[in-house]
């Protein structure tokens, strides 16, 4: 049945969830955000005339986003193995494709800005807190603890990316803004999956709240340190850094793990 003839809201809840987390749904309505645009943006958008300092700041920000998307790609791919059922595995396969595409378009953006060796720049510029976050995220995935790893990946990391991309898109040049707005649409879907899956589990097993809170206690400071380290290098005023932290805490707190 095509998306146009299928009344999603008439479906029983379990079937609805399986459908919106399927490749069938992804192919029909989601993947178009980035696929219709070569490397994530329309070709007719003009490159702004950056001065050296502006270009440097944008390159530094993009290098952090590339590391974030690299860990999301590794995390989502790793979660497939430990996901408890087929619909979750299939959703994570769609997410893994999304994260690979996000990384690809962001690395391409670095090339458009004249970065000759994006991988080296990413490694040189990434903040220590973000590197540490990657180690801890992948360690949670490696433990095989589905709830903790999904919380770290699809709630904490996704909420952090969502907050940063959303705020940056407001002031970004037109090309970067179009990339970020496309990526944000996918990140919304990823965080929605994490909240839904964990919310249903928490409603049956409230004792999960404590171990998930322990994950937050460990990872929240790394997210906030990463914001602080990166934004300081970007010359962002302290008031804006505090606002970004609040955006993140609001997004990550929607599950009520506090
Ligand atoms: Fe992503
Ligand atoms: Fe994501």
């Amino acid at each position: 049945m095509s998306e146009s003839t299928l009344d999603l809201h008439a479906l029983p809840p379990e079937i609805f969830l399986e459908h919106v987390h399927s490749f069938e749904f992804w192919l029909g309505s989601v993947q178009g955000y980035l696929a219709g645009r070569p490397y994530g943006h329309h070709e007719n958008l003009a490159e702004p005339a950056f001065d050296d300092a502006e270009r440097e700041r944008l390159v530094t920000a993009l290098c952090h986003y590339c590391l974030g998307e690299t860990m999301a790609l590794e995390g989502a791919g790793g979660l497939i193995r430990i996901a408890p059922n087929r619909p979750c595995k299939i959703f994570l396969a769609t997410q893994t494709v999304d994260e690979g595409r996000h990384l690809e378009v962001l690395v391409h953006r670095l090339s458009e800005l004249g970065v000759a060796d994006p991988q080296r720049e990413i490694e040189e510029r990434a903040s220590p807190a973000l590197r540490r976050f990657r180690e801890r995220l992948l360690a949670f995935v490696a433990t095989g603890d589905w709830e903790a790893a999904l919380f770290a990946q699809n709630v904490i990391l996704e909420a952090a990316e969502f907050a940063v991309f959303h705020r940056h898109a407001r002031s970004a040049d037109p090309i970067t803004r179009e990339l970020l707005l496309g990526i944000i649409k996918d990140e919304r879907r990823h965080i929605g999956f994490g909240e839904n899956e964990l919310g249903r589990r928490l409603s049956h097993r409230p004792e999960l709240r404590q171990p998930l809170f322990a994950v937050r206690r460990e990872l929240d400071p790394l997210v906030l340190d990463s914001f602080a380290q990166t934004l300081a290098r970007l010359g962002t005023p302290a008031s804006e850094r505090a606002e970004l932290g609040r955006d993140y805490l609001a997004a990550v707190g929607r599950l009520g793990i506090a």
Side-chain angles (χ1 to χ4, degrees):
M1 194 178 293
S2 72
E3 290 303 323
S4 56
T5 56
L6 180 64
D7 181 358
L8 287 176
H9 297 284
L11 295 172
E14 291 301 316
I15 305 291
F16 170 83
L17 280 177
E18 183 165 343
H19 180 73
V20 298
H21 294 152
S22 69
F23 261 106
E24 198 60 33
F25 182 80
W26 184 88
L27 286 166
S29 57
V30 176
Q31 158 255 26
Y33 301 143
L34 293 174
R37 305 165 193 174
Y39 291 105
H41 65 81
H42 289 102
E43 286 171 299
N44 58 358
L45 290 177
E47 190 69 78
F50 292 113
D51 63 31
D52 286 351
E54 288 168 339
R55 180 189 165 283
E56 271 300 291
R57 283 198 293 271
L58 180 56
V59 167
T60 294
L62 291 169
C63 283
H64 285 84
Y65 303 167
C66 286
L67 184 58
E69 295 296 344
T70 299
M71 68 178 90
L73 173 62
E74 295 166 339
L79 282 168
I80 295 172
R81 187 181 62 79
I82 63 172
N85 56 51
R86 175 180 44 79
C88 286
K89 288 178 190 290
I90 290 175
F91 175 80
L92 288 162
T94 69
Q95 181 177 344
T96 302
V97 174
D98 291 336
E99 308 297 10
R101 178 63 168 163
H102 298 168
L103 178 58
E104 180 175 80
V105 299
L106 290 167
V107 168
H108 188 263
R109 184 77 185 116
L110 286 172
S111 304
E112 289 174 339
L113 292 165
V115 174
D117 186 346
Q119 197 55 42
R120 201 189 68 206
E121 291 296 330
I122 293 165
E123 282 161 19
E124 285 182 2
R125 295 188 191 224
S127 70
L130 195 60
R131 293 171 201 274
R132 179 71 184 143
F133 185 96
R134 180 191 193 180
E135 289 170 11
R136 294 305 302 137
L137 171 71
L138 297 182
F140 280 116
V141 175
T143 62
D145 179 340
W146 168 242
E147 287 90 0
L150 183 68
F151 186 56
Q153 161 78 40
N154 274 52
V155 177
I156 294 179
L157 175 58
E158 295 287 346
E161 290 187 328
F162 182 84
V164 172
F165 295 166
H166 200 260
R167 192 160 279 275
H168 186 177
R170 290 189 209 163
S171 59
D173 65 90
I175 295 178
T176 304
R177 182 184 310 128
E178 192 162 271
L179 288 189
L180 293 174
L181 293 178
I183 291 171
I184 284 168
K185 287 179 180 168
D186 290 337
E187 309 302 20
R188 272 212 176 94
R189 179 170 146 266
H190 304 161
I191 199 169
F193 170 78
E195 288 178 342
N196 196 283
E197 171 71 14
L198 290 169
R200 285 186 299 145
R201 283 170 179 267
L202 281 163
S203 69
H204 295 116
R205 294 173 55 204
E207 71 276 12
L208 279 175
R209 201 164 286 279
Q210 200 52 39
L212 293 185
F213 181 60
V215 175
R216 250 198 94 168
R217 217 169 28 217
E218 183 178 354
L219 296 185
D220 273 356
L222 292 177
V223 171
L224 297 173
D225 285 354
S226 174
F227 289 170
Q229 289 168 5
T230 309
L231 295 179
R233 286 187 61 188
L234 295 176
T236 308
S239 59
E240 264 188 57
R241 293 184 223 165
E243 281 176 29
L244 182 61
R246 281 196 291 275
D247 289 351
Y248 162 72
L249 292 170
V252 81
R254 283 199 304 255
L255 253 187
I257 305 295

